[in-house]
Amino acid sequence: MGQKRLINIGVLYGITDSNTVKIGHDLSKIKSIKNAFLDFKDDRIAGFGSMEDLTESNAEEIDVEGGIVYPSYVDCHTHLVFAANREDEFVDRIKGLSYQEIASNGGGILNSAAKLQSMSEDELFEDALHRLNKLIRLGTGAIEIKSGYGLTLEAELKMLRVIKRLKDENLIPVKSTFLGAHAFPKEYANDHDAYVDLIINEMLPAIHAENLADYIDAFCEEGYFTVTQTERIVKAGLKYGLKSRLHVNQFTSSGAIEMATRNKAISVEHLEVMTENDINTLANTNIFGVALPACSFFLKIPYTPARQLIERNIPFVLASDYNPGSSPTGNLSFVMSLACIYMNILPEEALNALTINAAAALEIENEVGSIAINKKANVIVSKNIKSINAVPYSFAQNTIDDVYVNGKKFL
Ligand code: NIG
Ligand code: FE
């Protein structure tokens, strides 16, 4: 602990004067200092500036050798806790089955739920902690994690307790989202509303009693939860003080965005299929639009029309959607590449979408998401590149040399 000073930083990116969300033209604006230093005191950022203005200090010096430093990524949409990979379904898709066909044959989310139900809380925790450590090394400095592979009262509680234990490890900030409405268990195949009743009348009160969730989510989609069912869940969540962050418009547009707007959701996520009306509806709100390009890439579905969202001043965010079915990666440098290549997002826009805007979408913008005095000293160091442009350019390569978490090098 104590004092550390990163010196000879070629470019220090992501400095902010305020924690305001970046929208429209501002999304491409990122404040940086060339030839900079950055000071940490204990777990916080304590100062920064030009090397020319360096003052005496007895801090431990770390030479970045002209490389770049930028704030750690914030991943605001993950399903990090799961029992097993689903690589066999991946091969089924190569052979021609669709994601939806695999799900209706008993694969997909129900496959993940069956495996998770039979795994112990301790095993789930160990696996998830291992994954979290790997993500931190890839630059993730704060994360949201959803339940949703339990689908029974006991198994949803088990998942949320695992997330709570990850939070209590105090590695990086963790936000927890209850996603009981991820799929309908087989037993409810003929009575979907009864499962919605179970979520509202049994799961939510139990989760509230243990204070296990920060947000509520539902997979609002054809074949999953209808707009009406999702709205019931969102309203029930609000009674327990849980704002909603919702899976919407992944495969179809069905009025979910209007519903989310009516109920003051904090974010709408996925958005691969957006009508003119959806964009108009969202444009007049400050609801975050979260795009998940790794899911589009892996499932070969359309990419979110990000440029249109940005032009209409919708607060734009990127996240990984890390999960075993539709996005088996949490590598946000790769997400940045996909956003730049397939959504025509500039590297600076992608960085803002993955840092300050993502932090605001998780309501932790006072803690993380930029270089500012007293924010957490969670930063990424890339010694061998000269600009942020090289991060998305170097797709599928690791450009990160070191990450600092709470002011310490994370090994
Ligand atoms: O965000 N779309 C719904 N949920 C996840 C995928 C879940 C799964 O296939 O396991 C998603 O893509
Ligand atoms: Fe998801």
Side-chain angles (χ1 to χ4, degrees):
M1 280 301 190
Q3 286 173 263
K4 283 195 181 61
R5 169 170 278 179
L6 306 189
I7 59 164
N8 297 324
I9 302 171
V11 192
L12 175 63
Y13 287 97
I15 299 157
T16 53
D17 305 317
S18 78
N19 293 322
T20 318
V21 176
K22 304 225 177 183
I23 57 171
H25 290 301
D26 281 347
L27 188 65
S28 64
K29 296 200 181 117
I30 197 145
K31 198 166 157 189
S32 59
I33 303 179
K34 288 194 177 132
N35 192 24
F37 71 91
L38 175 63
D39 282 342
F40 300 153
K41 181 159 190 312
D42 300 328
D43 63 335
R44 300 281 148 176
I45 293 172
F48 51 85
S50 163
M51 284 296 287
E52 285 157 23
D53 302 326
L54 207 60
T55 50
E56 279 292 302
S57 151
N58 43 23
E60 176 196 341
E61 275 192 358
I62 297 142
D63 193 342
V64 172
E65 299 163 18
I68 69 167
V69 174
Y70 57 102
S72 290
Y73 304 124
V74 175
D75 199 343
C76 76
H77 181 141
T78 84
H79 308 250
L80 183 82
V81 179
F82 56 85
N85 286 344
R86 304 211 307 259
E87 67 267 25
D88 295 346
E89 293 180 9
F90 167 63
V91 176
D92 288 341
R93 282 199 297 108
I94 297 172
K95 290 179 180 162
L97 288 183
S98 72
Y99 178 79
Q100 290 96 323
E101 283 165 342
I102 290 166
S104 47
N105 294 342
I109 296 166
L110 293 187
N111 174 4
S112 281
K115 291 194 170 117
L116 185 133
Q117 286 162 7
S118 65
M119 208 161 145
S120 74
E121 183 185 311
D122 285 345
E123 271 180 294
L124 276 171
F125 171 71
E126 289 306 326
D127 285 2
L129 183 61
H130 182 70
R131 271 178 221 127
L132 183 61
N133 274 282
K134 287 215 303 215
L135 292 188
I136 296 172
R137 266 177 231 116
L138 290 171
T140 302
I143 194 166
E144 180 262 12
I145 309 173
K146 299 171 196 301
S147 70
Y149 291 127
L151 309 182
T152 63
L153 172 63
E154 296 70 33
E156 283 295 308
L157 285 172
K158 180 165 70 180
M159 280 192 85
L160 290 164
R161 288 182 189 130
V162 168
I163 301 171
K164 172 82 168 38
R165 284 169 68 179
L166 294 172
K167 235 185 230 198
D168 292 343
E169 288 288 303
N170 285 322
L171 290 169
I172 57 172
V174 173
K175 290 280 187 172
S176 166
T177 301
F178 169 48
L179 175 57
H182 201 188
F184 290 101
K186 270 201 298 293
E187 306 77 69
Y188 293 90
N190 298 317
D191 193 358
H192 285 181
D193 284 334
Y195 182 62
V196 177
D197 292 341
L198 178 79
I199 291 174
I200 294 174
N201 300 327
E202 293 185 39
M203 292 187 186
L204 260 174
I207 289 161
H208 177 73
E210 285 187 50
N211 194 17
L212 289 175
D214 300 307
Y215 299 101
I216 192 161
D217 190 351
F219 185 16
C220 188
E221 185 56 62
E222 221 169 77
Y224 293 84
F225 293 77
T226 64
V227 172
T228 309
Q229 288 162 341
T230 304
E231 187 159 26
R232 281 186 64 203
I233 291 164
V234 167
K235 284 189 191 302
L238 282 174
K239 289 205 183 117
Y240 291 98
L242 304 180
K243 294 181 199 165
S244 55
R245 36 188 349 107
L246 299 169
H247 283 75
V248 304
N249 293 50
Q250 182 177 3
F251 300 109
T252 56
S253 164
S254 60
I257 296 205
E258 276 169 353
M259 184 277 295
T261 307
R262 260 197 315 277
N263 291 286
K264 304 202 164 23
I266 188 151
S267 61
V268 285
E269 321 210 348
H270 272 289
L271 314 180
E272 289 88 342
V273 178
M274 293 289 277
T275 64
E276 198 61 40
N277 185 46
D278 288 326
I279 293 177
N280 287 338
T281 306
L282 208 49
N284 301 313
T285 68
N286 49 19
I287 298 176
F288 292 91
V290 182
L292 309 167
C295 172
S296 298
F297 176 78
F298 192 67
L299 294 187
K300 294 200 277 186
I301 62 174
Y303 286 83
T304 303
R307 289 255 61 96
Q308 289 180 50
L309 302 192
I310 295 166
E311 266 160 37
R312 300 297 302 280
N313 291 332
I314 295 162
F316 181 71
V317 179
L318 289 161
S320 74
D321 196 16
Y322 189 10
N323 77 77
S326 69
S327 178
T329 185
N331 184 335
L332 292 171
S333 300
F334 180 59
V335 167
M336 200 191 272
S337 296
L338 294 176
C340 294
I341 297 163
Y342 290 107
M343 295 175 169
N344 276 8
I345 298 299
L346 295 168
E348 292 88 348
E349 291 177 316
L351 186 60
N352 277 324
L354 282 165
T355 55
I356 189 67
N357 282 10
L362 289 184
E363 302 176 291
I364 49 175
E365 70 274 25
N366 294 331
E367 279 289 284
V368 293
S370 69
I371 305 294
I373 305 285
N374 281 333
K375 278 203 182 182
K376 264 189 187 295
N378 290 7
V379 304
I380 293 171
V381 175
S382 293
K383 284 189 182 163
N384 296 307
I385 56 177
K386 296 283 169 255
S387 85
I388 195 67
N389 298 349
V391 177
Y393 165 82
S394 311
F395 81 95
Q397 299 174 62
N398 184 18
T399 51
I400 297 175
D401 289 296
D402 295 315
V403 296
Y404 286 83
V405 173
N406 297 324
K408 282 201 287 194
K409 195 193 269 195
F410 192 84
L411 298 169

